[in-house]
Amino acid sequence: MKLRGKQKRYLRSQANRMKPLFSVGKNGLNEIWLDQILDALQRRELIKINIQQNADESVSDVKTFIEENSDVSVVQTIGKTLLLFMPASKEKFQNYSVEVKNI
């Protein structure tokens, strides 16, 4: 889903007080890690991930890996933190996506 500026602004405001749910560490990026991210996004739609200091990957590597291997939108990157959004497929978990569509 391609997000417009106002939609990104809304998602950033909603994630302001969120803590990172996942981390990228020395184990790096792999399909199992991405599957866990996708499962979390199906229930929450909006999550933050953090890249640890000992990680071999940079922020741009993680962003590219996520965007190329899934339908997840990287809404924002601040330092070593990424904000991810993906609309949930089940209606009962669609909190943010309904609001984003109306913007």
Side-chain angles (χ1 to χ4, degrees), residues 3-95:
L3 297 172
R4 295 186 311 271
K6 288 184 178 184
Q7 293 169 327
K8 287 182 181 180
R9 203 170 321 130
Y10 168 75
L11 291 171
R12 287 193 306 257
S13 71
Q14 296 301 309
N16 189 18
R17 300 199 184 264
M18 279 185 182
K19 301 281 185 208
L21 248 162
F22 288 93
S23 293
V24 178
K26 62 182 180 178
N27 294 335
L29 304 170
N30 56 35
E31 292 299 320
I32 296 169
W33 178 81
L34 186 61
D35 289 340
Q36 291 174 345
I37 296 272
L38 294 174
D39 287 344
L41 282 167
Q42 282 300 318
R43 294 191 178 272
R44 296 178 181 238
E45 292 189 318
L46 189 66
I47 63 170
K48 281 186 181 179
I49 61 170
N50 189 23
I51 302 170
Q52 296 178 350
Q53 289 181 349
N54 64 348
D56 296 331
E57 287 79 13
S58 67
V59 174
S60 60
D61 294 340
V62 175
K63 180 179 177 180
T64 304
F65 178 78
I66 291 171
E67 288 180 337
E68 287 179 355
N69 296 312
S70 64
D71 294 332
V72 177
S73 299
V74 177
V75 177
Q76 182 182 31
T77 59
I78 296 179
K80 292 191 171 229
T81 304
L82 284 85
L83 179 62
L84 307 177
F85 172 73
M86 184 177 79
S89 57
K90 293 185 180 177
E91 191 172 321
K92 68 179 182 178
F93 297 123
Q94 292 179 351
N95 298 323

Coordinates of all heavy atoms in Angstrom, one line a residue, residues 3-95:
L3 N 1.5 4.9 0.7 CA 0.9 5.9 1.7 C 1.2 7.3 1.2 O 2.3 7.6 0.7 CB 1.5 5.7 3.1 CG 1.2 4.3 3.7 CD1 2.0 4.2 5.0 CD2 -0.3 4.2 4.0
R4 N 0.2 8.2 1.4 CA 0.4 9.6 1.1 C 0.9 10.3 2.4 O 1.0 9.7 3.5 CB -0.9 10.2 0.7 CG -1.4 9.6 -0.6 CD -2.7 10.4 -1.1 NE -3.7 10.5 -0.1 CZ -4.7 9.6 0.1 NH1 -4.7 8.5 -0.6 NH2 -5.6 9.9 1.0
G5 N 1.3 11.5 2.2 CA 1.9 12.3 3.3 C 1.0 12.4 4.6 O 1.5 12.3 5.7
K6 N -0.3 12.7 4.4 CA -1.2 12.8 5.5 C -1.4 11.5 6.2 O -1.5 11.5 7.4 CB -2.5 13.4 5.0 CG -2.5 14.8 4.7 CD -3.9 15.3 4.3 CE -3.8 16.8 4.0 NZ -5.2 17.3 3.7
Q7 N -1.4 10.4 5.5 CA -1.5 9.1 6.1 C -0.3 8.8 6.9 O -0.4 8.3 8.0 CB -1.7 8.1 5.0 CG -3.1 8.2 4.3 CD -3.1 7.3 3.0 OE1 -2.2 7.1 2.4 NE2 -4.4 6.9 2.7
K8 N 0.9 9.1 6.4 CA 2.1 8.8 7.1 C 2.2 9.7 8.4 O 2.6 9.2 9.5 CB 3.3 9.1 6.3 CG 3.6 8.1 5.2 CD 4.9 8.5 4.5 CE 5.1 7.5 3.4 NZ 6.4 7.8 2.6
R9 N 1.7 10.9 8.3 CA 1.7 11.8 9.5 C 0.8 11.3 10.6 O 1.1 11.3 11.7 CB 1.2 13.2 9.0 CG 1.7 14.3 9.9 CD 1.4 15.7 9.4 NE 1.7 15.8 8.0 CZ 0.9 16.3 7.1 NH1 -0.3 16.8 7.5 NH2 1.2 16.4 5.8
Y10 N -0.4 10.7 10.2 CA -1.3 10.1 11.1 C -0.7 8.9 11.8 O -0.7 8.8 13.0 CB -2.6 9.7 10.4 CG -3.5 8.8 11.3 CD1 -4.2 9.4 12.3 CD2 -3.6 7.5 11.0 CE1 -5.0 8.6 13.1 CE2 -4.3 6.7 11.8 CZ -5.1 7.2 12.9 OH -5.8 6.4 13.7
L11 N 0.0 8.1 11.0 CA 0.6 6.9 11.6 C 1.7 7.2 12.5 O 1.9 6.6 13.6 CB 1.1 5.9 10.5 CG -0.1 5.3 9.7 CD1 0.5 4.6 8.5 CD2 -0.9 4.3 10.5
R12 N 2.5 8.2 12.2 CA 3.6 8.7 13.0 C 3.0 9.2 14.4 O 3.6 8.9 15.4 CB 4.4 9.7 12.4 CG 5.3 9.2 11.3 CD 6.4 10.2 10.8 NE 5.8 11.5 10.5 CZ 5.7 11.9 9.2 NH1 6.0 11.2 8.2 NH2 5.2 13.1 9.0
S13 N 1.9 9.9 14.3 CA 1.3 10.4 15.5 C 0.8 9.3 16.4 O 0.9 9.4 17.6 CB 0.2 11.4 15.2 OG -0.9 10.8 14.7
Q14 N 0.3 8.3 15.8 CA -0.2 7.1 16.6 C 0.9 6.3 17.2 O 0.7 5.7 18.3 CB -1.1 6.2 15.7 CG -2.3 6.9 15.2 CD -3.2 7.4 16.3 OE1 -3.6 6.6 17.2 NE2 -3.6 8.6 16.2
A15 N 2.1 6.3 16.6 CA 3.2 5.5 17.1 C 4.1 6.3 18.0 O 5.2 5.8 18.4 CB 4.0 5.0 15.9
N16 N 3.8 7.5 18.4 CA 4.6 8.4 19.1 C 5.1 7.8 20.4 O 6.3 7.9 20.8 CB 3.9 9.7 19.4 CG 4.8 10.8 19.9 OD1 6.0 10.6 19.8 ND2 4.3 11.8 20.5
R17 N 4.3 7.1 21.1 CA 4.6 6.6 22.5 C 4.9 5.1 22.4 O 5.0 4.5 23.5 CB 3.6 6.9 23.5 CG 3.4 8.4 23.6 CD 2.7 8.7 24.9 NE 2.4 10.2 25.0 CZ 3.2 11.0 25.6 NH1 4.3 10.6 26.2 NH2 2.9 12.3 25.7
M18 N 4.9 4.5 21.3 CA 5.2 3.0 21.1 C 6.6 2.7 21.5 O 7.5 3.5 21.2 CB 4.9 2.5 19.7 CG 3.5 2.3 19.4 SD 3.4 1.6 17.7 CE 1.7 1.4 17.6
K19 N 6.8 1.5 22.0 CA 8.2 1.0 22.2 C 8.5 0.0 21.1 O 7.5 -0.6 20.6 CB 8.3 0.3 23.6 CG 7.9 1.2 24.7 CD 9.1 2.0 25.1 CE 8.7 2.8 26.4 NZ 9.4 4.0 26.5
P20 N 9.7 -0.2 20.7 CA 10.1 -1.2 19.7 C 9.7 -2.6 20.1 O 9.9 -2.9 21.3 CB 11.6 -1.0 19.5 CG 11.9 0.4 20.0 CD 10.9 0.7 21.1
L21 N 9.1 -3.3 19.2 CA 8.6 -4.7 19.5 C 9.7 -5.7 19.1 O 9.8 -6.7 19.8 CB 7.4 -5.0 18.7 CG 6.1 -5.2 19.5 CD1 4.9 -5.0 18.7 CD2 6.1 -6.4 20.2
F22 N 10.4 -5.4 18.1 CA 11.4 -6.4 17.5 C 12.8 -5.7 17.4 O 12.8 -4.5 17.3 CB 11.0 -6.9 16.2 CG 9.9 -7.9 16.2 CD1 8.6 -7.4 16.0 CD2 10.1 -9.2 16.4 CE1 7.5 -8.3 16.1 CE2 9.0 -10.1 16.5 CZ 7.7 -9.6 16.3
S23 N 13.8 -6.5 17.4 CA 15.2 -6.0 17.2 C 15.9 -6.7 16.2 O 15.6 -7.9 15.9 CB 16.0 -6.1 18.5 OG 15.4 -5.3 19.5
V24 N 16.8 -6.1 15.5 CA 17.7 -6.7 14.6 C 19.1 -6.7 15.3 O 19.6 -5.7 15.6 CB 17.8 -5.9 13.3 CG1 18.8 -6.6 12.3 CG2 16.5 -5.8 12.6
G25 N 19.6 -7.9 15.5 CA 20.9 -8.0 16.2 C 21.9 -8.7 15.4 O 21.9 -8.6 14.1
K26 N 22.8 -9.4 16.0 CA 24.0 -10.0 15.3 C 23.6 -11.1 14.5 O 24.3 -11.5 13.6 CB 25.1 -10.4 16.3 CG 24.6 -11.4 17.3 CD 25.7 -11.7 18.2 CE 25.3 -12.8 19.2 NZ 26.4 -13.1 20.1
N27 N 22.4 -11.7 14.7 CA 21.9 -12.8 13.8 C 21.5 -12.3 12.5 O 21.3 -13.1 11.6 CB 20.7 -13.6 14.5 CG 21.2 -14.3 15.8 OD1 22.3 -14.6 15.9 ND2 20.3 -14.4 16.7
G28 N 21.2 -11.1 12.3 CA 20.9 -10.5 11.0 C 19.5 -10.7 10.6 O 18.6 -11.0 11.3
L29 N 19.3 -10.5 9.3 CA 18.0 -10.6 8.7 C 17.8 -12.0 8.0 O 18.7 -12.5 7.4 CB 17.9 -9.5 7.6 CG 18.1 -8.1 8.0 CD1 18.2 -7.2 6.8 CD2 17.0 -7.6 8.9
N30 N 16.6 -12.6 8.3 CA 16.3 -13.8 7.6 C 14.8 -14.0 7.5 O 14.0 -13.1 8.0 CB 16.9 -15.0 8.4 CG 16.5 -15.1 9.9 OD1 15.3 -14.7 10.2 ND2 17.4 -15.5 10.8
E31 N 14.4 -15.0 6.8 CA 12.9 -15.2 6.6 C 12.1 -15.5 7.8 O 11.0 -15.1 7.9 CB 12.7 -16.3 5.5 CG 13.3 -16.0 4.2 CD 12.6 -14.8 3.5 OE1 11.3 -14.7 3.7 OE2 13.3 -14.0 2.9
I32 N 12.7 -16.2 8.8 CA 12.0 -16.5 10.0 C 11.7 -15.2 10.8 O 10.6 -14.9 11.3 CB 12.8 -17.4 10.9 CG1 12.9 -18.8 10.2 CG2 12.1 -17.6 12.3 CD1 13.9 -19.7 10.8
W33 N 12.7 -14.3 10.8 CA 12.5 -13.0 11.5 C 11.4 -12.2 10.8 O 10.5 -11.6 11.4 CB 13.8 -12.2 11.5 CG 13.8 -10.9 12.1 CD1 13.8 -10.5 13.4 CD2 13.6 -9.6 11.3 NE1 13.7 -9.1 13.5 CE2 13.6 -8.6 12.3 CE3 13.6 -9.3 10.0 CZ2 13.5 -7.3 11.9 CZ3 13.5 -8.0 9.6 CH2 13.4 -7.0 10.6
L34 N 11.4 -12.2 9.5 CA 10.4 -11.5 8.7 C 9.0 -12.0 8.9 O 8.0 -11.3 9.0 CB 10.8 -11.5 7.2 CG 9.9 -10.6 6.3 CD1 9.9 -9.1 6.7 CD2 10.3 -10.8 4.8
D35 N 8.9 -13.4 9.0 CA 7.6 -14.0 9.2 C 7.1 -13.6 10.6 O 5.9 -13.4 10.7 CB 7.7 -15.5 9.2 CG 8.0 -16.0 7.8 OD1 7.6 -15.3 6.8 OD2 8.4 -17.2 7.6
Q36 N 7.9 -13.4 11.6 CA 7.5 -13.0 12.9 C 7.0 -11.5 12.8 O 6.0 -11.2 13.5 CB 8.6 -13.1 13.9 CG 8.9 -14.5 14.3 CD 10.1 -14.6 15.2 OE1 10.9 -13.7 15.3 NE2 10.3 -15.8 15.8
I37 N 7.7 -10.7 12.1 CA 7.2 -9.3 11.9 C 5.9 -9.3 11.2 O 5.0 -8.5 11.6 CB 8.3 -8.6 11.0 CG1 9.6 -8.5 11.7 CG2 7.7 -7.2 10.6 CD1 9.8 -7.3 12.6
L38 N 5.7 -10.1 10.2 CA 4.4 -10.1 9.5 C 3.3 -10.6 10.3 O 2.2 -10.1 10.3 CB 4.5 -11.0 8.2 CG 5.5 -10.5 7.1 CD1 5.6 -11.5 6.0 CD2 5.0 -9.1 6.6
D39 N 3.5 -11.6 11.2 CA 2.5 -12.1 12.1 C 2.1 -11.0 13.1 O 0.9 -10.8 13.4 CB 3.0 -13.3 12.9 CG 3.1 -14.5 12.0 OD1 2.4 -14.6 11.0 OD2 3.8 -15.5 12.4
A40 N 3.1 -10.3 13.6 CA 2.8 -9.2 14.5 C 2.0 -8.1 13.8 O 1.1 -7.5 14.4 CB 4.1 -8.6 15.1
L41 N 2.4 -7.8 12.6 CA 1.6 -6.7 11.9 C 0.2 -7.1 11.5 O -0.7 -6.3 11.4 CB 2.4 -6.4 10.6 CG 3.6 -5.5 10.8 CD1 4.4 -5.5 9.5 CD2 3.2 -4.1 11.1
Q42 N -0.1 -8.4 11.4 CA -1.4 -8.9 11.1 C -2.3 -8.6 12.3 O -3.5 -8.5 12.2 CB -1.5 -10.4 10.8 CG -1.1 -10.7 9.4 CD -2.0 -10.0 8.4 OE1 -3.2 -10.0 8.5 NE2 -1.4 -9.4 7.3
R43 N -1.8 -8.5 13.5 CA -2.6 -8.3 14.7 C -2.5 -6.8 15.2 O -3.5 -6.3 15.8 CB -2.1 -9.1 15.9 CG -2.3 -10.6 15.6 CD -2.1 -11.4 16.9 NE -2.3 -12.8 16.7 CZ -3.5 -13.4 16.8 NH1 -4.5 -12.6 17.2 NH2 -3.7 -14.6 16.6
R44 N -1.4 -6.1 14.9 CA -1.3 -4.7 15.4 C -1.3 -3.7 14.3 O -1.6 -2.5 14.6 CB 0.0 -4.6 16.1 CG 0.1 -5.5 17.4 CD 1.5 -5.3 18.0 NE 1.6 -6.1 19.2 CZ 1.8 -5.7 20.4 NH1 2.0 -4.4 20.6 NH2 1.9 -6.5 21.4
E45 N -1.0 -4.0 13.1 CA -0.9 -3.1 11.9 C 0.2 -2.1 12.0 O 0.7 -1.7 10.9 CB -2.2 -2.4 11.7 CG -3.3 -3.3 11.3 CD -4.6 -2.5 10.9 OE1 -4.9 -1.5 11.6 OE2 -5.2 -2.8 9.9
L46 N 0.7 -1.7 13.1 CA 1.7 -0.7 13.3 C 2.6 -1.1 14.4 O 2.2 -1.2 15.5 CB 1.0 0.7 13.6 CG 1.8 1.9 13.6 CD1 2.3 2.3 12.2 CD2 1.0 3.1 14.2
I47 N 3.9 -1.2 14.0 CA 4.9 -1.6 15.0 C 6.2 -0.9 14.8 O 6.5 -0.3 13.7 CB 5.2 -3.1 15.0 CG1 5.8 -3.6 13.7 CG2 4.0 -3.9 15.4 CD1 6.3 -5.0 13.7
K48 N 7.0 -0.8 15.8 CA 8.4 -0.3 15.7 C 9.4 -1.4 15.8 O 9.2 -2.3 16.6 CB 8.7 0.8 16.8 CG 8.1 2.1 16.6 CD 8.5 3.1 17.7 CE 7.9 4.4 17.5 NZ 8.3 5.4 18.5
I49 N 10.5 -1.3 15.1 CA 11.6 -2.2 15.3 C 12.9 -1.4 15.5 O 13.0 -0.3 15.0 CB 11.8 -3.2 14.1 CG1 12.1 -2.5 12.8 CG2 10.5 -4.1 14.0 CD1 12.4 -3.4 11.7
N50 N 13.8 -2.0 16.2 CA 15.0 -1.4 16.6 C 16.2 -2.1 16.0 O 16.2 -3.4 16.1 CB 15.1 -1.3 18.1 CG 16.2 -0.4 18.6 OD1 16.7 0.5 17.9 ND2 16.7 -0.6 19.8
I51 N 17.2 -1.4 15.6 CA 18.4 -2.1 15.1 C 19.5 -1.9 16.2 O 19.8 -0.8 16.6 CB 18.9 -1.5 13.8 CG1 17.8 -1.6 12.7 CG2 20.2 -2.1 13.3 CD1 18.1 -0.9 11.5
Q52 N 20.0 -3.0 16.8 CA 20.9 -2.9 17.8 C 22.3 -2.4 17.4 O 22.6 -2.5 16.2 CB 21.1 -4.3 18.5 CG 19.8 -4.8 19.2 CD 19.9 -6.1 19.8 OE1 20.9 -6.8 19.6 NE2 18.9 -6.5 20.5
Q53 N 23.1 -2.0 18.3 CA 24.4 -1.4 17.9 C 25.3 -2.5 17.4 O 26.2 -2.2 16.5 CB 25.1 -0.8 19.1 CG 24.4 0.5 19.6 CD 25.1 1.1 20.7 OE1 25.9 0.5 21.4 NE2 24.7 2.4 21.0
N54 N 25.2 -3.8 17.8 CA 26.1 -4.8 17.3 C 25.6 -5.5 16.1 O 26.2 -6.5 15.6 CB 26.3 -5.9 18.4 CG 25.0 -6.6 18.8 OD1 23.9 -6.2 18.4 ND2 25.1 -7.7 19.5
A55 N 24.6 -5.0 15.4 CA 24.0 -5.5 14.2 C 24.9 -5.2 13.0 O 25.5 -4.1 13.0 CB 22.6 -5.0 13.9
D56 N 25.1 -6.1 12.1 CA 25.9 -6.0 10.9 C 25.2 -5.1 9.9 O 25.8 -4.6 9.0 CB 26.3 -7.3 10.3 CG 27.2 -8.1 11.3 OD1 27.9 -7.5 12.1 OD2 27.1 -9.3 11.2
E57 N 23.9 -5.1 9.9 CA 23.1 -4.4 8.9 C 22.9 -2.9 9.3 O 22.8 -2.5 10.4 CB 21.7 -5.0 8.7 CG 21.7 -6.3 8.0 CD 22.2 -7.5 8.9 OE1 22.2 -7.3 10.2 OE2 22.5 -8.6 8.4
S58 N 22.7 -2.1 8.3 CA 22.4 -0.7 8.5 C 20.9 -0.5 8.4 O 20.2 -1.4 8.0 CB 23.1 0.2 7.4 OG 22.6 -0.1 6.1
V59 N 20.4 0.7 8.7 CA 19.0 1.0 8.6 C 18.5 0.8 7.2 O 17.4 0.3 6.9 CB 18.7 2.4 9.1 CG1 17.3 2.8 8.9 CG2 19.1 2.6 10.6
S60 N 19.3 1.3 6.2 CA 18.8 1.2 4.8 C 18.8 -0.3 4.4 O 17.9 -0.6 3.6 CB 19.7 2.0 3.9 OG 21.1 1.6 4.0
D61 N 19.7 -1.1 4.9 CA 19.7 -2.6 4.5 C 18.4 -3.2 5.0 O 17.7 -4.0 4.3 CB 20.9 -3.3 5.1 CG 22.2 -2.9 4.5 OD1 22.2 -2.3 3.4 OD2 23.2 -3.1 5.2
V62 N 18.0 -2.9 6.3 CA 16.8 -3.5 6.9 C 15.6 -3.0 6.1 O 14.7 -3.8 5.8 CB 16.7 -3.1 8.4 CG1 15.4 -3.6 9.0 CG2 17.9 -3.7 9.1
K63 N 15.5 -1.7 5.8 CA 14.4 -1.1 5.1 C 14.2 -1.8 3.8 O 13.1 -2.2 3.4 CB 14.6 0.4 5.0 CG 13.5 1.1 4.2 CD 13.7 2.6 4.2 CE 12.6 3.2 3.4 NZ 12.8 4.7 3.2
T64 N 15.3 -1.9 3.0 CA 15.3 -2.6 1.7 C 14.8 -4.0 1.8 O 14.0 -4.5 1.0 CB 16.7 -2.5 1.0 OG1 17.1 -1.1 1.0 CG2 16.6 -3.0 -0.4
F65 N 15.4 -4.7 2.8 CA 15.0 -6.2 2.9 C 13.5 -6.3 3.2 O 12.8 -7.2 2.6 CB 15.8 -6.8 4.1 CG 15.5 -8.2 4.4 CD1 16.0 -9.2 3.6 CD2 14.7 -8.5 5.5 CE1 15.7 -10.5 3.9 CE2 14.4 -9.8 5.8 CZ 14.8 -10.8 4.9
I66 N 13.0 -5.5 4.1 CA 11.6 -5.6 4.5 C 10.7 -5.2 3.3 O 9.7 -5.9 3.0 CB 11.2 -4.7 5.7 CG1 11.9 -5.2 6.9 CG2 9.8 -4.5 5.9 CD1 11.8 -4.3 8.1
E67 N 11.0 -4.1 2.6 CA 10.1 -3.7 1.5 C 10.2 -4.6 0.3 O 9.2 -4.7 -0.4 CB 10.5 -2.2 1.1 CG 10.1 -1.2 2.1 CD 10.4 0.2 1.7 OE1 11.4 0.4 1.0 OE2 9.8 1.1 2.3
E68 N 11.3 -5.2 0.0 CA 11.5 -6.1 -1.1 C 10.8 -7.5 -0.9 O 10.4 -8.1 -1.9 CB 12.9 -6.3 -1.5 CG 13.5 -5.0 -2.2 CD 15.0 -5.2 -2.5 OE1 15.6 -6.3 -2.2 OE2 15.6 -4.3 -3.2
N69 N 10.8 -7.9 0.3 CA 10.3 -9.3 0.6 C 8.9 -9.3 1.2 O 8.5 -10.4 1.6 CB 11.3 -10.0 1.6 CG 12.7 -10.2 0.9 OD1 12.7 -10.6 -0.2 ND2 13.7 -9.8 1.6
S70 N 8.2 -8.2 1.3 CA 6.9 -8.2 1.8 C 6.1 -7.0 1.3 O 6.6 -6.2 0.6 CB 6.9 -8.2 3.4 OG 7.5 -7.0 3.8
D71 N 4.8 -6.9 1.8 CA 4.0 -5.7 1.4 C 4.0 -4.7 2.5 O 3.1 -3.8 2.6 CB 2.6 -6.2 1.2 CG 2.5 -7.1 0.0 OD1 3.3 -6.9 -0.9 OD2 1.6 -8.0 -0.1
V72 N 5.0 -4.7 3.4 CA 5.0 -3.8 4.5 C 5.5 -2.4 4.0 O 6.5 -2.3 3.2 CB 6.0 -4.3 5.6 CG1 6.1 -3.4 6.8 CG2 5.5 -5.7 6.1
S73 N 4.9 -1.4 4.6 CA 5.4 0.0 4.3 C 6.2 0.5 5.4 O 5.8 0.4 6.6 CB 4.2 0.9 4.1 OG 3.4 0.5 3.0
V74 N 7.4 1.0 5.1 CA 8.2 1.6 6.2 C 7.8 3.1 6.2 O 8.0 3.9 5.3 CB 9.7 1.5 5.8 CG1 10.5 2.2 6.9 CG2 10.1 0.0 5.8
V75 N 7.1 3.5 7.3 CA 6.5 4.8 7.4 C 7.6 5.8 7.7 O 7.6 6.9 7.2 CB 5.4 4.8 8.5 CG1 4.8 6.2 8.7 CG2 4.3 3.8 8.1
Q76 N 8.5 5.4 8.6 CA 9.5 6.4 9.1 C 10.7 5.7 9.7 O 10.6 4.6 10.2 CB 8.9 7.2 10.2 CG 9.7 8.3 10.8 CD 9.0 9.0 12.0 OE1 8.2 8.5 12.7 NE2 9.3 10.3 12.1
T77 N 11.9 6.3 9.5 CA 13.1 5.9 10.2 C 13.6 7.0 11.0 O 13.8 8.1 10.5 CB 14.1 5.4 9.2 OG1 14.5 6.5 8.3 CG2 13.6 4.2 8.4
I78 N 13.9 6.8 12.3 CA 14.5 7.7 13.1 C 15.7 7.0 13.8 O 15.5 6.1 14.5 CB 13.6 8.3 14.2 CG1 12.4 9.0 13.6 CG2 14.3 9.2 15.2 CD1 11.4 9.6 14.6
G79 N 16.9 7.5 13.5 CA 18.1 6.8 14.0 C 18.1 5.4 13.6 O 18.2 5.0 12.4
K80 N 18.1 4.5 14.6 CA 18.1 3.1 14.3 C 16.7 2.4 14.6 O 16.6 1.2 14.9 CB 19.2 2.4 15.2 CG 20.6 2.8 14.8 CD 21.6 1.9 15.4 CE 22.9 2.2 14.8 NZ 23.6 1.0 14.4
T81 N 15.7 3.2 14.5 CA 14.3 2.7 14.7 C 13.5 2.9 13.5 O 13.5 4.0 12.8 CB 13.7 3.5 15.9 OG1 14.5 3.3 17.0 CG2 12.3 2.9 16.2
L82 N 12.8 1.9 13.1 CA 11.9 1.9 11.9 C 10.5 1.7 12.4 O 10.2 0.9 13.2 CB 12.2 0.8 10.9 CG 13.5 1.0 10.1 CD1 14.7 0.5 10.8 CD2 13.3 0.2 8.8
L83 N 9.6 2.5 11.7 CA 8.1 2.3 12.0 C 7.5 1.6 10.8 O 7.7 2.1 9.6 CB 7.5 3.7 12.2 CG 6.0 3.8 12.4 CD1 5.6 3.0 13.7 CD2 5.5 5.2 12.5
L84 N 6.8 0.5 11.0 CA 6.3 -0.3 9.9 C 4.8 -0.4 10.0 O 4.2 -0.4 11.1 CB 6.8 -1.8 10.1 CG 8.3 -2.0 10.2 CD1 8.6 -3.4 10.4 CD2 9.0 -1.4 8.9
F85 N 4.1 -0.4 8.8 CA 2.7 -0.4 8.7 C 2.3 -1.4 7.7 O 2.9 -1.4 6.6 CB 2.1 0.9 8.4 CG 0.6 0.9 8.1 CD1 -0.3 0.7 9.1 CD2 0.2 1.0 6.8 CE1 -1.7 0.7 8.9 CE2 -1.2 1.0 6.6 CZ -2.1 0.8 7.6
M86 N 1.3 -2.2 8.0 CA 0.7 -3.1 7.0 C -0.8 -3.4 7.4 O -1.0 -3.7 8.6 CB 1.4 -4.5 6.9 CG 0.9 -5.4 5.8 SD 1.8 -6.9 5.6 CE 1.1 -7.8 7.0
P87 N -1.8 -3.1 6.5 CA -3.1 -3.4 6.9 C -3.4 -4.8 7.2 O -2.9 -5.7 6.6 CB -3.9 -3.0 5.7 CG -3.0 -2.1 4.9 CD -1.6 -2.6 5.2
A88 N -4.2 -5.1 8.3 CA -4.5 -6.4 8.7 C -5.5 -7.0 7.8 O -6.4 -6.3 7.2 CB -5.0 -6.5 10.1
S89 N -5.4 -8.3 7.6 CA -6.4 -9.0 6.7 C -7.7 -9.3 7.4 O -8.8 -9.3 6.8 CB -5.8 -10.3 6.1 OG -5.4 -11.1 7.1
K90 N -7.7 -9.5 8.7 CA -8.9 -9.8 9.5 C -9.5 -8.4 9.9 O -8.8 -7.6 10.4 CB -8.6 -10.7 10.7 CG -8.2 -12.1 10.3 CD -8.0 -12.9 11.5 CE -7.6 -14.3 11.1 NZ -7.4 -15.2 12.2
E91 N -10.8 -8.3 9.8 CA -11.5 -7.1 10.1 C -11.4 -6.7 11.6 O -11.3 -5.5 11.9 CB -12.9 -7.2 9.7 CG -13.7 -5.9 9.7 CD -15.1 -6.0 9.2 OE1 -15.2 -6.7 8.1 OE2 -16.0 -5.4 9.7
K92 N -11.3 -7.7 12.5 CA -11.3 -7.4 13.9 C -10.0 -6.7 14.4 O -9.9 -6.1 15.4 CB -11.6 -8.6 14.8 CG -10.6 -9.7 14.8 CD -11.0 -10.8 15.7 CE -9.9 -11.9 15.7 NZ -10.3 -13.0 16.6
F93 N -8.9 -6.9 13.6 CA -7.6 -6.3 13.9 C -7.4 -5.0 13.1 O -6.3 -4.4 13.3 CB -6.5 -7.3 13.6 CG -6.6 -8.5 14.4 CD1 -6.6 -9.8 13.8 CD2 -6.6 -8.4 15.8 CE1 -6.7 -10.9 14.6 CE2 -6.6 -9.6 16.6 CZ -6.7 -10.8 16.0
Q94 N -8.3 -4.5 12.4 CA -8.1 -3.3 11.5 C -8.5 -2.1 12.4 O -9.6 -1.6 12.3 CB -9.0 -3.4 10.3 CG -8.5 -4.4 9.3 CD -9.4 -4.5 8.1 OE1 -10.5 -3.9 8.0 NE2 -9.0 -5.3 7.1
N95 N -7.5 -1.6 13.1 CA -7.7 -0.3 13.8 C -7.2 0.9 13.1 O -7.9 1.8 12.9 CB -7.0 -0.4 15.2 CG -7.5 -1.6 16.0 OD1 -8.7 -1.8 16.0 ND2 -6.6 -2.2 16.7

